[in-house]
């Protein structure tokens, strides 16, 4: 699919710059030369555009499955909402949030972790309403709970509606607190105390029946930054309820998900999506993906996976580097839609340019084409919606008088 088939309503960038009049103290020839130089310099400062491409029938597939997706790039501070327009085009709706990380949502609400807060977005459109003749969901930021810089990773929505998140810096699962930065509700048994030291790089969270059930960690280290020396085979999956390690020997595991009676996980350091063999505590590979995997959603018979390029040209010290070489492939940044029955990549989104790393993604069931309001969007000043309880009160008063 060409870029002509992709609609990209992007957030307006701040273009306020110091303006210097080159003709103020120069003659005509100097002014012309200075103007050309200024134009050339301004062109150099223009940010490199992000090139977006996708498989030919992705918009049709999304319409058929009645879903859209949202994914984050902490490296560029962006959130992308991707859906199908009524015209059949694929819509990329981009918004800016500092260090956009874990994201989880549904038709009604989205939660997302940021640099030092957890954002809550509400869909302000009612069923049947459409914004700008295109979008059937409009997610507006309604709350930003400040946590401090605790390195928020994945999030989940509990049965009671409370959000839970992986607090990577403090090696624990946490809830939001009315008074404090967070309320720690669980930590791995091998972590001796809560300390801002990112000892095991706790990162992924699987919810089962509205409760936190499984988490991933890069290793079982109990010393500051100890996980960095265990990236190749120290990874574990832990049962939050029993504290049992249910899978080990992983390489930088991320994004555990319980679906269809199986525990799926990204063995990111190898490039393989797979499942857990609980009896032998082993990882069972399913499909190879050409990139560092973070962010997984299982929808029916499909796995939707986020991919990133290496941060420093190569995946140094990881089996993924060797696997890519053996397959004569380069890592790329984007999202792949994998048929779990065949293992084939049926659809994909690819990002080229300055955005090279993604973190998390979420499926929005029942949403055809979503949009959102950004952290610094001018729409925050004018996007005012309200509930009117005065009408009902007046009707009750009128009935009482009658």
């Amino acid at each position: 699919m060409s870029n002509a088939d992709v609609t990209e309503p992007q957030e307006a960038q701040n273009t306020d710059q110091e303006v210097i009049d080159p003709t103020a103290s120069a003659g005509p020839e100097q002014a012309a030369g200075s103007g050309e130089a200024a134009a050339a310099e301004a062109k150099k400062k223009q940010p490199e555009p992000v090139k977006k491409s996708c498989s030919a029938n992705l918009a049709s597939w999304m319409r058929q499955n009645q879903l859209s997706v949202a994914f984050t790039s902490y490296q560029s501070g962006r959130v992308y909402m991707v859906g199908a327009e009524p015209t059949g085009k694929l819509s990329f709706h981009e918004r800016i949030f500092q260090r956009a990380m874990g994201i989880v949502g549904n038709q009604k609400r989205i939660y997302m972790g940021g640099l030092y807060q957890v954002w809550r977005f509400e869909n302000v459109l009612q069923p049947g309403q459409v914004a700008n003749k295109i979008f059937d969901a409009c997610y507006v930021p309604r709350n930003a709970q400040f946590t401090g810089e605790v390195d928020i990773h994945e999030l989940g929505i509990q049965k009671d509606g409370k959000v839970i998140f992986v607090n990577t810096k403090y090696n624990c699962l946490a809830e939001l607190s009315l008074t404090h930065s967070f309320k720690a509700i669980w930590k791995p048994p091998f972590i001796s105390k809560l300390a801002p030291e990112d000892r095991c790089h706790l990162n992924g969270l699987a919810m089962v029946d509205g409760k936190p059930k499984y988490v991933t960690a890069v290793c079982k280290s109990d010393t500051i930054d100890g996980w960095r020396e265990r990236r190749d085979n120290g990874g574990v999956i832990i049962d939050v309820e029993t504290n049992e390690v249910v899978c080990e020997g992983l390489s930088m595991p991320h994004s555990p998900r319980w679906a269809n009676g199986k525990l799926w996980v990204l063995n990111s350091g190898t490039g393989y999506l797979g499942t857990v063999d609980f009896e032998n505590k082993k990882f069972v590979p399913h499909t190879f993906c050409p990139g560092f995997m973070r962010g997984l959603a299982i929808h029916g018979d499909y796995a939707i996976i986020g991919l990133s390029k290496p941060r420093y040209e190569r995946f140094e010290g990881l089996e993924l580097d060797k696997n890519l070489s053996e397959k004569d492939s380069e890592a790329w940044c984007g999202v792949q839609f994998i048929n779990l029955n065949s293992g084939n990549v049926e659809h994909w989104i690819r990002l080229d340019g300055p955005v090279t790393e993604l973190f998390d993604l979420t499926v929005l069931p029942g949403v055809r084409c979503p949009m959102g309001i950004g952290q610094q969007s001018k729409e925050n000043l004018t996007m005012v919606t309200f509930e009117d309880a005065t009408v009902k009160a007046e009707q009750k008063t009128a009935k009482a008088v009658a």
Side-chain angles (χ1 to χ4, degrees), residues 123-175:
N123 177 15
V124 299
L125 298 185
Q126 298 298 314
Q129 288 186 321
V130 177
N132 300 338
K133 299 181 180 180
I134 296 175
F135 306 102
D136 64 337
C138 178
Y139 293 96
V140 178
R142 290 304 185 209
N143 179 267
Q145 179 91 15
F146 285 73
T147 60
E149 194 173 357
V150 297
D151 202 8
I152 299 167
H153 274 56
E154 292 192 345
L155 306 93
I157 301 175
Q158 301 180 87
K159 189 180 296 184
D160 59 5
K162 290 183 179 179
V163 66
I164 184 172
F165 63 93
V166 178
N167 183 330
T168 301
K169 191 171 186 177
Y170 282 81
N171 312 282
C172 68
L173 291 180
E175 293 179 343

Side-chain angles (χ1 to χ4, degrees), residues 62-294:
M62 285 186 162
R63 283 199 308 274
Q64 290 172 4
N65 287 274
Q66 299 183 342
L67 62 80
S68 53
V69 297
F71 58 91
T72 61
S73 169
Y74 67 95
Q75 167 235 1
S76 63
R78 280 168 168 75
V79 180
Y80 291 99
M81 295 183 179
V82 182
E85 287 190 12
T87 59
K89 293 181 180 180
L90 197 71
S91 168
F92 276 81
H93 200 79
E94 175 185 314
R95 287 296 179 251
I96 297 173
F97 286 86
Q98 279 184 296
R99 194 174 167 80
M101 287 286 285
I103 188 168
V104 62
N106 50 43
Q107 191 173 20
K108 181 180 179 182
R109 178 177 298 121
I110 290 176
Y111 286 100
M112 185 185 72
L115 178 62
Y116 49 82
Q117 66 273 93
V118 174
W119 292 91
R120 175 174 60 83
F121 304 83
E122 297 290 331
N123 177 15
V124 299
L125 298 185
Q126 298 298 314
Q129 288 186 321
V130 177
N132 300 338
K133 299 181 180 180
I134 296 175
F135 306 102
D136 64 337
C138 178
Y139 293 96
V140 178
R142 290 304 185 209
N143 179 267
Q145 179 91 15
F146 285 73
T147 60
E149 194 173 357
V150 297
D151 202 8
I152 299 167
H153 274 56
E154 292 192 345
L155 306 93
I157 301 175
Q158 301 180 87
K159 189 180 296 184
D160 59 5
K162 290 183 179 179
V163 66
I164 184 172
F165 63 93
V166 178
N167 183 330
T168 301
K169 191 171 186 177
Y170 282 81
N171 312 282
C172 68
L173 291 180
E175 293 179 343
L176 299 175
S177 167
L178 289 176
T179 307
H180 302 288
S181 297
F182 62 89
K183 176 184 177 182
I185 63 169
W186 179 87
K187 64 179 179 62
F190 50 79
I191 296 294
S192 56
K193 67 175 182 178
L194 294 177
E197 297 179 352
D198 186 8
R199 298 179 175 187
C200 63
H201 204 64
L202 198 69
N203 57 55
L205 171 63
M207 303 290 290
V208 178
D209 297 328
K211 294 189 288 186
K213 178 61 176 174
Y214 301 105
V215 294
T216 48
V218 173
C219 72
K220 296 192 289 183
S221 169
D222 194 29
T223 60
I224 184 171
D225 240 17
W227 62 273
R228 295 188 184 277
E229 283 71 47
R230 302 288 184 272
R231 297 181 309 143
D232 57 340
N233 60 6
V236 294
I237 303 176
I238 310 163
D239 186 322
V240 173
E241 294 179 349
T242 66
N243 284 338
E244 179 188 3
V245 172
V246 298
C247 189
E248 53 194 358
L250 300 166
S251 178
M252 299 195 74
H254 283 78
S255 307
R257 302 289 185 264
W258 181 262
N260 306 323
K262 296 180 180 180
L263 180 57
W264 296 84
V265 68
L266 305 177
N267 199 15
S268 306
T270 68
Y272 278 93
L273 160 72
T275 57
V276 172
D277 175 353
F278 284 93
E279 184 176 350
N280 297 301
K281 297 186 178 183
K282 297 296 183 183
F283 174 77
V284 181
H286 184 279
T287 303
F288 179 79
C289 297
F292 191 85
M293 301 177 295
R294 278 180 302 222

